[in-house]
């Protein structure tokens, strides 16, 4: 087995054993393979090993790969900062966007989503660790932003995404993930129909699964260290 396919298998086992250890139903956590900076060839290798969903952070870089791999019918998730001048490309070529943190961007994506395509599946990115430099809506503003998104016809709000500040041990990794889950619970209790918690990466996916992640976004553990852009 080639290196990336072997690494994919290892990550799948990590997800499955975390599901088991933390009492999550088997298969309840989806794996998003984060392929930013990797060439189409690497993605194809992982796709051939059975992975369907891939995450990209840079619209321009992703476009070439999406075109090159069109024959594989992969599912593309945009997970990076959304530049206004790239929103049309994102609305057209991706099935999911995890990184919405402003109403303006959401409105643009909805308006620019082609009408012959199903609504874009989206998550709100929440600045769960309250870092000054991080993207994401402050947690206390998430319910109002979610409410506003419900009115946009070409977006389907699925849930919340976060990238917590890195910490070392599982116990402290779980704290911000638990906070994001409690925010989702609160929004569900307010009547919003949401089913997605996009949280957990190579270094902390077990902690995220423990706290209820439904999508983990894993890059380096599958593809190896990121390449220079
Ligand atoms: C790069 C990236 C990941 C993957 O991180 P790894 O540590 O390589 O697994 C996940 N989520 C987002 C938003 C990213 O930008």
């Amino acid at each position: 087995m080639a290196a990336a396919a072997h690494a994919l298998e290892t990550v799948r086992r990590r997800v499955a054993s975390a599901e088991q250890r933390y009492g999550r139903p088997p298969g309840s956590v989806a794996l998003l393979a984060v392929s930013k900076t990797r060439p189409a060839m690497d993605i194809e290798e992982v796709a051939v090993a059975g992975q369907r969903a891939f995450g990209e952070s840079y619209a321009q870089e992703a476009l070439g790969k999406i075109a090159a791999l069109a024959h594989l019918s992969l599912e593309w998730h945009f997970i990076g900062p959304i530049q206004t001048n790239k929103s049309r490309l994102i609305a057209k070529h991706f099935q999911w966007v995890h990184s919405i943190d402003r109403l303006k961007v959401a409105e643009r994506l909805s308006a620019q989503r082609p009408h012959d395509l199903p609504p874009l599946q989206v998550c709100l990115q929440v600045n769960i660790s309250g870092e000054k430099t991080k993207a994401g809506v402050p947690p206390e503003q998430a319910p109002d932003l979610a409410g506003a998104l419900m009115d946009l016809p070409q977006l389907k709000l699925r849930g919340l995404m976060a990238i917590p500040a890195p910490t070392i041990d599982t116990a402290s990794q779980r704290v911000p993930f638990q906070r994001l889950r409690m925010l989702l619970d609160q929004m569900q209790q307010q009547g919003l129909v949401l089913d997605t918690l996009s949280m957990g990466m190579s270094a902390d996916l077990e902690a995220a699964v423990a706290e209820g992640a439904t999508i983990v976004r894993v890059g380096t553990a599958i593809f190896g260290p990121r390449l220079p852009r």
Side-chain angles (χ1 to χ4, degrees), residues 34 36 57 79-80 161 163 200-203 217-221 226:
V34 176
K36 61 178 185 241
S57 299
I79 61 174
M161 181 274 241
I163 314 170
M201 316 197 293
S202 294
R217 310 177 309 268
V218 179
T220 49
R226 261 180 296 280

Side-chain angles (χ1 to χ4, degrees), residues 128-129 164-165 167 169-182 199 207-208 211:
I128 203 68
S129 304
T167 52
D169 60 297
T170 307
S172 48
Q173 288 169 348
R174 285 180 67 161
V175 174
F177 292 144
Q178 183 187 53
R179 216 178 294 142
L180 193 72
R181 174 170 51 83
M182 289 170 66
M199 59 187 195
E211 293 298 343

Side-chain angles (χ1 to χ4, degrees), residues 23-161:
R24 304 284 311 280
S28 57
V29 182
L31 175 60
L32 179 65
V34 176
S35 47
K36 61 178 185 241
T37 80
R38 314 302 313 200
M41 207 171 58
D42 292 12
I43 299 173
E44 179 150 25
E45 181 187 327
V46 171
V48 166
Q51 176 66 27
R52 308 314 303 166
F54 290 86
E56 290 280 341
S57 299
Y58 313 105
Q60 203 65 51
E61 177 201 320
L63 281 190
K65 300 189 243 181
I66 293 173
L69 300 170
H71 60 288
L72 295 174
S73 305
L74 302 176
E75 182 178 280
W76 295 96
H77 294 231
F78 192 79
I79 61 174
I82 303 166
Q83 293 170 276
T84 306
N85 63 347
K86 297 287 157 54
S87 63
R88 188 176 296 280
L89 294 178
I90 295 168
K92 186 159 178 215
H93 296 283
F94 285 81
Q95 285 82 55
W96 280 72
V97 176
H98 294 227
S99 44
I100 291 186
D101 61 2
R102 280 171 298 152
L103 183 57
K104 267 237 134 17
V105 166
E107 287 171 342
R108 279 181 76 91
L109 288 171
S110 180
Q112 293 171 337
R113 178 70 169 170
H115 285 280
D116 56 333
L117 296 178
L120 258 183
Q121 309 295 301
V122 305
C123 292
L124 291 187
Q125 181 172 352
V126 179
N127 187 356
I128 203 68
S129 304
E131 294 166 276
K132 282 208 178 64
T133 56
K134 265 281 171 61
V137 61
E140 61 278 9
Q141 291 173 22
D144 281 352
L145 180 54
L149 255 66
M150 292 292 173
D151 296 333
L152 300 175
Q154 282 291 78
L155 300 189
K156 167 101 179 117
L157 181 63
R158 298 292 298 272
L160 304 177
M161 181 274 241

